Amino acid sequence: MTVLDHDLAAAWTPDAHGPRRDPAPLLPDSEPVRILGTPALRRTADSPGGRELLRDLHRRLVVGRRFNQQATTLTKQGRLAVYPASTGQEACQIAVASALRPGDWLFPSYRDTLAVVSRGVDPVQTLTLLRGNAHCGYDPYEHQVAPLSTPLATQAPHAVGLAHAARLRGESTVALALVGDGGTSEGDFHEALNFAGVLNAPVVFLVQNNGYAISVPLAKQSAAPTLAHKAVGYGIQGRLVDGNDAVAVHIVLSEAVEHARTGRGPVLVEAVTYRLEAHTNADDAGRYRSAEEVERWQARDPLTLMERHLREAGVIGDADVAAAAAEAEELADRMRTLFHVKPQLDPMSLFAHVYAEPTPQLREQAAQLAAELAAEAATEERR
Ligand SMILES: Cc1ncc(C[n+]2csc(CCOP(=O)(O)OP(=O)(O)O)c2C)c(N)n1
């Protein structure tokens, strides 16, 4: 027997393979979970704290829509460099904040600014990266929100690492990673799911399937039955939810977070939604999708759906709608005022927080910039 044969024989023992798992409990529902327009809405309203929860979700949606509108306007005024709006996806964005507890961690991507603001981060600080002013703009530790990630899905393994570390320390922290449908094709996404499954890490992945990765439609991106099915190959539970139904997303996400928190394993939630605006203000969505398609989804706008069903159920009335609109205007006002203030920027901060030990090249560049800034200051002084 060669050494190789011996090693292989040792590896092929029943122990090495572990027990066989039944995939059935991991499979997502074949239809997305919906609450609005079903008898479950009445049951939610009548549950303890149910009406308050529904009113709060509605209020957050109204404020969230206004945040998206105001940020988009700021790009037109040249106050914000780029804005990937989450208009149409607000139900997912606000449910993230309502499903997490203080102490849990959020790992967002560039489109998730509303989720970050809903978690309590200052709107101007949240938009610092997209303004082009600094790498992050907020203190991740203050609200347990990792920096907005632009490289697709790289936040997913970070979330698994944090969740696993918290568990090793005996903490009951859950990490929630937000990924787009395009992000699920990235290696990082698959590595994150694999590690999460093997380590049984208390992590939840929320895939906002908005139909497009810039101009690439989902049908050209994945042959999976649903993106939630991607969970099963990693031994993770998959769940499918209507991403335009804020109540359904809140309930499914809250269940997933508690599932992870209580050690029952990670969960991958796919929320089926739609990006009503272009990819960013620099994109022309009319080049790759039809006006009819957008109209069909406008008819399922998460805010109008919520308002109509909660009014019909007698949960909200004119006064609630007016109060939410007033709060939204207040936020928009504050954003306008704060964005008109020129930020105080230290160009040298570019070099901070990149490496624990800066590379020789970075040190050289930093020294060059420092010299240029000093020369500029001296010229100013002589004037
Ligand atoms: C690793 C990596 N590859 C490519 C890109 C370029 N890129 C930016 S956004 C995007 C599409 C992402 O689509 P999706 O994950 O569905 O998220 P959405 O923008 O729809 O929220 C791509 C390919 C990137 N940012 N990172």
Side-chain angles (χ1 to χ4, degrees), residues 89 110-111 150-152 180-183 186 210 212-214 275 279:
Q89 299 177 219
Y110 52 82
R111 197 177 301 288
T150 300
L152 302 178
D181 43 284
E186 292 286 337
N210 64 12
Y212 288 91
I214 313 185
R275 156 164 70 69
H279 175 69

Side-chain angles (χ1 to χ4, degrees), residues 24 31 57 98 110 121 132 137 154 200 300 310 336 345 349 375 379:
E31 278 300 311
L57 291 173
S98 58
Y110 52 82
V121 179
T154 50
N200 200 40
R300 299 211 66 254
L310 292 198
R336 280 194 298 272
L345 299 172
S349 68
T379 317

Side-chain angles (χ1 to χ4, degrees), residues 265-284:
V267 186
L268 168 64
V269 179
E270 174 189 353
V272 184
T273 181
Y274 193 76
R275 156 164 70 69
L276 285 174
E277 299 292 336
H279 175 69
T280 68
N281 49 306
D283 169 46
D284 174 7

